[in-house]
Amino acid sequence: MDKFLIQGNGPLQGEVRASGAKNAALPILCAALLTDDTLAIHNLPHLWDVATTNRLLTQMGVAVTVAGQGEVEINARSITTCVAPYELVKTMRASILVLGPLLAKRGEAQVSLPGGCAIGARPVDLHLRGLEAMGAEIEVEGGFIKARAGRLQGARIVFDVVTVTGTENLLMAATLAEGQTVLENAACEPEVVDLAKCLIAMGAKIEGAGTSTIRVQGVANLHGATHSVIPDRIETGTFLIAGAITRGRVRVTQTDPGMLEAVLDKLRQAGAKVSIGADWIELDMLGRRPRAVDIHTTPHPGFPTDMQAQFMALDSVAEGVGTIRETIFENRFMHAQELMRLGAEINIEGNTAVVTGVERLSGAPVMATDLRASAALVLAALSADGETLVDRVYHIDRGYEHIEEKLRKLGGKIRRVTQ
Ligand code: EPZ
C-alpha cells in the first residue's frame, strides 16, 4: 500500500497546471451510454476514478478507445450487459451515474447499491425517486438496484436536498424521455453545467443548467460529439492552499477563476494576495502566516464541501480561531483526528469544528481516510516541522493527477514509498 513521505521544506513557489475535473469527467463518460454514435472526450485527468469508470463501461461491452493523452473515444453501440457489478461500484460510488443513461437508452439497468463511505451514508433515494417519477419500475434486492422502463416520461421533479449526481443522473435520463422534464432545486455546480454542455453538443435540448431549475425537452436520439472537460476547481483550490499554508507563492494555470469565487474570497480573508487572469490564479502570502477563517459549506455557488478539509489544515496553522461548519455530509471531519496527531488544536461539536491555530505543526505518521482528507494531510505535512508519513494514499490517487510531481515542481519535498 503506497504512502507519501513528506518533509516540511519552507514556502512553495512556482506554477502548476490544473487537470481536467474528476467530477465533470465521470458523468460525461457515462453520457456516452445515451447514443450509438461515438463520444470523444478530451482533457480527461489520469485518475483511478476515471480508469474505474472506463473499466465499468468496458465490462458492459462498451468500446472505450484511448485516442491520446487524456483523450478517449467511447461507443456504446456494442453494449452487451446493463449491469454495474458490486466489485466496481464498491470502489467508486459515482458508478451510480450509469443508471439514468442505461434506463433512458436501453430500458433496463442493474446497479449495485453504492454503500456508504467514510464521509457519510450517502443514500441514492432521490435518484431512484426521480426515475420512478419518470415511469421507471425500480426494486432494490440483494444489494442491487434493479430498474426497468419503457420510454421514460418527462416529469416535474423537486429534489428534497441539492444532489449533484442526482441532478446529473436525472438530467441524462431526461434527454431521451418523452416530453418535458423540469428539475427543481437542482445542483448548480460547474460540473453539472459541463455535463449539460456535452449533452447539448450531442443534440439534447436543455435550458437552465447552472441554475436551480433545469428544463429538458426529450428527443428521440442523441448523436456523437467531441467535448473537452473543464478544469478541476477543487484541485485548483488545493494547490492554492499549498501555497497559503507554506506562506509561499503559487500560480495555477489552465483553470477558471469563475468556478471558485467563494474559495478565493476565503483565501483573501486569510490574508493572501490573490490575482486572477482569464485562465490562471496566483496566490501570494507575502511570507506571512495565514489568518484563521470561518467556513460554512453549502451547495454551489456557496463554499464547496470538497474544500472543507483543506481549509481545516490551513486554519490549523493560522493566527486566531476558525470555525468550520459542514452542512453537506454528516461525517466529514475524519481528517481532524489525523491533523491533531500533527499538533493541531481542534474541537469538534456535532457538525462544527473549532480550530485554534498553532504556529507550527510537527510531522508524524498519519492515515488518509477519504479523498479530500488525504489532500488536507498532505498540505499540513508540507508546512510541518520534520517528517510525515501519510498512509493509504490510494484515496488521493482517486482524485489528484500526479500530485507528488506537481508538488515537487513547487519545491515540496514529497515522495511515494511502497511498503
Ligand atoms: C458529489 O457527490 C461529488 N462527487 C462529491 O465529491 C461532492 O462532495 C458532493 O457532490 C457534494 O458537492 C461527484 O460528483 C462524483 P450529493 P454526490 O448527492 O453527488 C444527500 C469528491 O471529493 N443525498 O450532492 O454523491 C447526501 O447524503 C466527492 O470529489 C440524499 O440524501 O453528493 C448528502 O448529504 C466527495 N439522497 C447531500 O445529499 C440522495 O439521493 C449531497 O450529496 C442523494 C444525496
PDB file of all heavy atoms in Angstrom, residues 236-259:
ATOM      1  N   THR A 236      -7.536  22.911  -8.174  1.00  0.00           N
ATOM      2  CA  THR A 236      -7.025  24.289  -8.207  1.00  0.00           C
ATOM      3  C   THR A 236      -6.964  24.860  -6.789  1.00  0.00           C
ATOM      4  O   THR A 236      -5.920  25.349  -6.344  1.00  0.00           O
ATOM      5  CB  THR A 236      -7.936  25.172  -9.076  1.00  0.00           C
ATOM      6  OG1 THR A 236      -7.946  24.687 -10.416  1.00  0.00           O
ATOM      7  CG2 THR A 236      -7.481  26.624  -9.064  1.00  0.00           C
ATOM      8  N   GLY A 237      -8.080  24.745  -6.072  1.00  0.00           N
ATOM      9  CA  GLY A 237      -8.132  25.284  -4.702  1.00  0.00           C
ATOM     10  C   GLY A 237      -7.134  24.615  -3.789  1.00  0.00           C
ATOM     11  O   GLY A 237      -6.514  25.261  -2.933  1.00  0.00           O
ATOM     12  N   THR A 238      -6.928  23.323  -3.995  1.00  0.00           N
ATOM     13  CA  THR A 238      -5.992  22.577  -3.139  1.00  0.00           C
ATOM     14  C   THR A 238      -4.566  23.091  -3.324  1.00  0.00           C
ATOM     15  O   THR A 238      -3.836  23.300  -2.351  1.00  0.00           O
ATOM     16  CB  THR A 238      -6.077  21.070  -3.462  1.00  0.00           C
ATOM     17  OG1 THR A 238      -7.436  20.633  -3.289  1.00  0.00           O
ATOM     18  CG2 THR A 238      -5.168  20.259  -2.557  1.00  0.00           C
ATOM     19  N   PHE A 239      -4.185  23.375  -4.574  1.00  0.00           N
ATOM     20  CA  PHE A 239      -2.821  23.859  -4.813  1.00  0.00           C
ATOM     21  C   PHE A 239      -2.650  25.305  -4.330  1.00  0.00           C
ATOM     22  O   PHE A 239      -1.583  25.691  -3.870  1.00  0.00           O
ATOM     23  CB  PHE A 239      -2.448  23.711  -6.291  1.00  0.00           C
ATOM     24  CG  PHE A 239      -1.969  22.331  -6.621  1.00  0.00           C
ATOM     25  CD1 PHE A 239      -2.801  21.417  -7.241  1.00  0.00           C
ATOM     26  CD2 PHE A 239      -0.694  21.913  -6.241  1.00  0.00           C
ATOM     27  CE1 PHE A 239      -2.375  20.124  -7.505  1.00  0.00           C
ATOM     28  CE2 PHE A 239      -0.257  20.620  -6.494  1.00  0.00           C
ATOM     29  CZ  PHE A 239      -1.108  19.723  -7.125  1.00  0.00           C
ATOM     30  N   LEU A 240      -3.716  26.093  -4.399  1.00  0.00           N
ATOM     31  CA  LEU A 240      -3.624  27.452  -3.854  1.00  0.00           C
ATOM     32  C   LEU A 240      -3.390  27.388  -2.346  1.00  0.00           C
ATOM     33  O   LEU A 240      -2.586  28.144  -1.788  1.00  0.00           O
ATOM     34  CB  LEU A 240      -4.895  28.241  -4.179  1.00  0.00           C
ATOM     35  CG  LEU A 240      -5.108  28.565  -5.667  1.00  0.00           C
ATOM     36  CD1 LEU A 240      -6.472  29.216  -5.876  1.00  0.00           C
ATOM     37  CD2 LEU A 240      -3.989  29.446  -6.217  1.00  0.00           C
ATOM     38  N   ILE A 241      -4.045  26.444  -1.692  1.00  0.00           N
ATOM     39  CA  ILE A 241      -3.835  26.302  -0.238  1.00  0.00           C
ATOM     40  C   ILE A 241      -2.431  25.771   0.058  1.00  0.00           C
ATOM     41  O   ILE A 241      -1.814  26.125   1.064  1.00  0.00           O
ATOM     42  CB  ILE A 241      -4.925  25.419   0.390  1.00  0.00           C
ATOM     43  CG1 ILE A 241      -6.256  26.167   0.330  1.00  0.00           C
ATOM     44  CG2 ILE A 241      -4.575  25.070   1.823  1.00  0.00           C
ATOM     45  CD1 ILE A 241      -7.358  25.582   1.137  1.00  0.00           C
ATOM     46  N   ALA A 242      -1.888  24.952  -0.850  1.00  0.00           N
ATOM     47  CA  ALA A 242      -0.494  24.506  -0.665  1.00  0.00           C
ATOM     48  C   ALA A 242       0.421  25.727  -0.599  1.00  0.00           C
ATOM     49  O   ALA A 242       1.366  25.771   0.207  1.00  0.00           O
ATOM     50  CB  ALA A 242      -0.087  23.587  -1.810  1.00  0.00           C
ATOM     51  N   GLY A 243       0.129  26.737  -1.393  1.00  0.00           N
ATOM     52  CA  GLY A 243       0.895  27.987  -1.333  1.00  0.00           C
ATOM     53  C   GLY A 243       0.618  28.736  -0.048  1.00  0.00           C
ATOM     54  O   GLY A 243       1.544  29.185   0.632  1.00  0.00           O
ATOM     55  N   ALA A 244      -0.663  28.821   0.331  1.00  0.00           N
ATOM     56  CA  ALA A 244      -1.038  29.607   1.516  1.00  0.00           C
ATOM     57  C   ALA A 244      -0.482  28.997   2.797  1.00  0.00           C
ATOM     58  O   ALA A 244       0.083  29.696   3.641  1.00  0.00           O
ATOM     59  CB  ALA A 244      -2.565  29.699   1.591  1.00  0.00           C
ATOM     60  N   ILE A 245      -0.595  27.678   2.937  1.00  0.00           N
ATOM     61  CA  ILE A 245      -0.205  27.019   4.195  1.00  0.00           C
ATOM     62  C   ILE A 245       1.312  27.042   4.397  1.00  0.00           C
ATOM     63  O   ILE A 245       1.793  26.961   5.530  1.00  0.00           O
ATOM     64  CB  ILE A 245      -0.767  25.580   4.239  1.00  0.00           C
ATOM     65  CG1 ILE A 245      -0.874  25.085   5.694  1.00  0.00           C
ATOM     66  CG2 ILE A 245       0.070  24.628   3.396  1.00  0.00           C
ATOM     67  CD1 ILE A 245      -1.667  23.793   5.839  1.00  0.00           C
ATOM     68  N   THR A 246       2.072  27.191   3.303  1.00  0.00           N
ATOM     69  CA  THR A 246       3.539  27.247   3.441  1.00  0.00           C
ATOM     70  C   THR A 246       4.054  28.681   3.309  1.00  0.00           C
ATOM     71  O   THR A 246       5.265  28.901   3.203  1.00  0.00           O
ATOM     72  CB  THR A 246       4.211  26.372   2.351  1.00  0.00           C
ATOM     73  OG1 THR A 246       3.788  26.856   1.072  1.00  0.00           O
ATOM     74  CG2 THR A 246       3.841  24.899   2.514  1.00  0.00           C
ATOM     75  N   ARG A 247       3.119  29.658   3.289  1.00  0.00           N
ATOM     76  CA  ARG A 247       3.463  31.085   3.211  1.00  0.00           C
ATOM     77  C   ARG A 247       4.228  31.415   1.918  1.00  0.00           C
ATOM     78  O   ARG A 247       5.103  32.269   1.877  1.00  0.00           O
ATOM     79  CB  ARG A 247       4.302  31.503   4.439  1.00  0.00           C
ATOM     80  CG  ARG A 247       3.652  31.087   5.746  1.00  0.00           C
ATOM     81  CD  ARG A 247       4.388  31.602   6.951  1.00  0.00           C
ATOM     82  NE  ARG A 247       3.894  30.959   8.180  1.00  0.00           N
ATOM     83  CZ  ARG A 247       4.302  31.284   9.410  1.00  0.00           C
ATOM     84  NH1 ARG A 247       5.199  32.247   9.565  1.00  0.00           N
ATOM     85  NH2 ARG A 247       3.813  30.669  10.477  1.00  0.00           N
ATOM     86  N   GLY A 248       3.853  30.684   0.850  1.00  0.00           N
ATOM     87  CA  GLY A 248       4.597  30.849  -0.417  1.00  0.00           C
ATOM     88  C   GLY A 248       3.819  31.591  -1.469  1.00  0.00           C
ATOM     89  O   GLY A 248       2.929  32.414  -1.166  1.00  0.00           O
ATOM     90  N   ARG A 249       4.145  31.271  -2.727  1.00  0.00           N
ATOM     91  CA  ARG A 249       3.521  31.965  -3.858  1.00  0.00           C
ATOM     92  C   ARG A 249       3.297  30.943  -4.963  1.00  0.00           C
ATOM     93  O   ARG A 249       4.278  30.363  -5.471  1.00  0.00           O
ATOM     94  CB  ARG A 249       4.463  33.065  -4.341  1.00  0.00           C
ATOM     95  CG  ARG A 249       3.965  33.811  -5.554  1.00  0.00           C
ATOM     96  CD  ARG A 249       4.894  34.957  -5.884  1.00  0.00           C
ATOM     97  NE  ARG A 249       4.483  35.635  -7.110  1.00  0.00           N
ATOM     98  CZ  ARG A 249       5.131  36.670  -7.606  1.00  0.00           C
ATOM     99  NH1 ARG A 249       6.214  37.130  -6.990  1.00  0.00           N
ATOM    100  NH2 ARG A 249       4.732  37.249  -8.720  1.00  0.00           N
ATOM    101  N   VAL A 250       2.039  30.659  -5.285  1.00  0.00           N
ATOM    102  CA  VAL A 250       1.710  29.589  -6.246  1.00  0.00           C
ATOM    103  C   VAL A 250       0.755  30.124  -7.301  1.00  0.00           C
ATOM    104  O   VAL A 250      -0.210  30.823  -6.975  1.00  0.00           O
ATOM    105  CB  VAL A 250       1.056  28.387  -5.513  1.00  0.00           C
ATOM    106  CG1 VAL A 250       0.448  27.391  -6.497  1.00  0.00           C
ATOM    107  CG2 VAL A 250       2.104  27.689  -4.637  1.00  0.00           C
ATOM    108  N   ARG A 251       1.045  29.804  -8.555  1.00  0.00           N
ATOM    109  CA  ARG A 251       0.145  30.149  -9.656  1.00  0.00           C
ATOM    110  C   ARG A 251      -0.412  28.857 -10.240  1.00  0.00           C
ATOM    111  O   ARG A 251       0.350  27.916 -10.518  1.00  0.00           O
ATOM    112  CB  ARG A 251       0.871  30.941 -10.737  1.00  0.00           C
ATOM    113  CG  ARG A 251       0.016  31.193 -11.972  1.00  0.00           C
ATOM    114  CD  ARG A 251       0.710  32.043 -13.015  1.00  0.00           C
ATOM    115  NE  ARG A 251       0.811  33.450 -12.613  1.00  0.00           N
ATOM    116  CZ  ARG A 251       0.681  34.471 -13.486  1.00  0.00           C
ATOM    117  NH1 ARG A 251       0.439  34.221 -14.761  1.00  0.00           N
ATOM    118  NH2 ARG A 251       0.800  35.707 -13.080  1.00  0.00           N
ATOM    119  N   VAL A 252      -1.738  28.796 -10.412  1.00  0.00           N
ATOM    120  CA  VAL A 252      -2.373  27.643 -11.057  1.00  0.00           C
ATOM    121  C   VAL A 252      -2.853  28.108 -12.431  1.00  0.00           C
ATOM    122  O   VAL A 252      -3.581  29.108 -12.530  1.00  0.00           O
ATOM    123  CB  VAL A 252      -3.556  27.087 -10.243  1.00  0.00           C
ATOM    124  CG1 VAL A 252      -4.165  25.864 -10.948  1.00  0.00           C
ATOM    125  CG2 VAL A 252      -3.098  26.708  -8.833  1.00  0.00           C
ATOM    126  N   THR A 253      -2.407  27.408 -13.484  1.00  0.00           N
ATOM    127  CA  THR A 253      -2.763  27.815 -14.855  1.00  0.00           C
ATOM    128  C   THR A 253      -3.760  26.826 -15.460  1.00  0.00           C
ATOM    129  O   THR A 253      -4.012  25.764 -14.902  1.00  0.00           O
ATOM    130  CB  THR A 253      -1.493  27.840 -15.735  1.00  0.00           C
ATOM    131  OG1 THR A 253      -0.954  26.505 -15.763  1.00  0.00           O
ATOM    132  CG2 THR A 253      -0.461  28.813 -15.184  1.00  0.00           C
ATOM    133  N   GLN A 254      -4.303  27.204 -16.609  1.00  0.00           N
ATOM    134  CA  GLN A 254      -5.305  26.417 -17.334  1.00  0.00           C
ATOM    135  C   GLN A 254      -6.463  26.032 -16.422  1.00  0.00           C
ATOM    136  O   GLN A 254      -6.905  24.886 -16.394  1.00  0.00           O
ATOM    137  CB  GLN A 254      -4.653  25.185 -17.991  1.00  0.00           C
ATOM    138  CG  GLN A 254      -3.600  25.617 -19.036  1.00  0.00           C
ATOM    139  CD  GLN A 254      -3.121  24.493 -19.910  1.00  0.00           C
ATOM    140  OE1 GLN A 254      -3.912  23.655 -20.352  1.00  0.00           O
ATOM    141  NE2 GLN A 254      -1.825  24.465 -20.145  1.00  0.00           N
ATOM    142  N   THR A 255      -6.896  27.031 -15.649  1.00  0.00           N
ATOM    143  CA  THR A 255      -8.038  26.829 -14.753  1.00  0.00           C
ATOM    144  C   THR A 255      -9.058  27.925 -15.043  1.00  0.00           C
ATOM    145  O   THR A 255      -8.960  28.619 -16.061  1.00  0.00           O
ATOM    146  CB  THR A 255      -7.565  26.843 -13.283  1.00  0.00           C
ATOM    147  OG1 THR A 255      -8.667  26.467 -12.443  1.00  0.00           O
ATOM    148  CG2 THR A 255      -7.069  28.225 -12.857  1.00  0.00           C
ATOM    149  N   ASP A 256     -10.077  28.042 -14.202  1.00  0.00           N
ATOM    150  CA  ASP A 256     -11.130  29.046 -14.444  1.00  0.00           C
ATOM    151  C   ASP A 256     -11.495  29.699 -13.115  1.00  0.00           C
ATOM    152  O   ASP A 256     -12.186  29.084 -12.297  1.00  0.00           O
ATOM    153  CB  ASP A 256     -12.364  28.363 -15.071  1.00  0.00           C
ATOM    154  CG  ASP A 256     -13.530  29.342 -15.207  1.00  0.00           C
ATOM    155  OD1 ASP A 256     -13.383  30.520 -14.792  1.00  0.00           O
ATOM    156  OD2 ASP A 256     -14.600  28.929 -15.700  1.00  0.00           O
ATOM    157  N   PRO A 257     -11.004  30.933 -12.862  1.00  0.00           N
ATOM    158  CA  PRO A 257     -11.269  31.596 -11.575  1.00  0.00           C
ATOM    159  C   PRO A 257     -12.764  31.726 -11.266  1.00  0.00           C
ATOM    160  O   PRO A 257     -13.161  31.758 -10.101  1.00  0.00           O
ATOM    161  CB  PRO A 257     -10.633  32.980 -11.758  1.00  0.00           C
ATOM    162  CG  PRO A 257      -9.684  32.838 -12.895  1.00  0.00           C
ATOM    163  CD  PRO A 257     -10.231  31.766 -13.783  1.00  0.00           C
ATOM    164  N   GLY A 258     -13.598  31.746 -12.310  1.00  0.00           N
ATOM    165  CA  GLY A 258     -15.039  31.926 -12.085  1.00  0.00           C
ATOM    166  C   GLY A 258     -15.696  30.745 -11.386  1.00  0.00           C
ATOM    167  O   GLY A 258     -16.818  30.838 -10.901  1.00  0.00           O
ATOM    168  N   MET A 259     -14.976  29.614 -11.293  1.00  0.00           N
ATOM    169  CA  MET A 259     -15.595  28.406 -10.699  1.00  0.00           C
ATOM    170  C   MET A 259     -15.386  28.323  -9.201  1.00  0.00           C
ATOM    171  O   MET A 259     -15.956  27.453  -8.537  1.00  0.00           O
ATOM    172  CB  MET A 259     -14.981  27.148 -11.329  1.00  0.00           C
ATOM    173  CG  MET A 259     -15.234  26.972 -12.805  1.00  0.00           C
ATOM    174  SD  MET A 259     -14.786  25.322 -13.364  1.00  0.00           S
ATOM    175  CE  MET A 259     -13.032  25.297 -13.014  1.00  0.00           C
TER     176      MET A 259
END
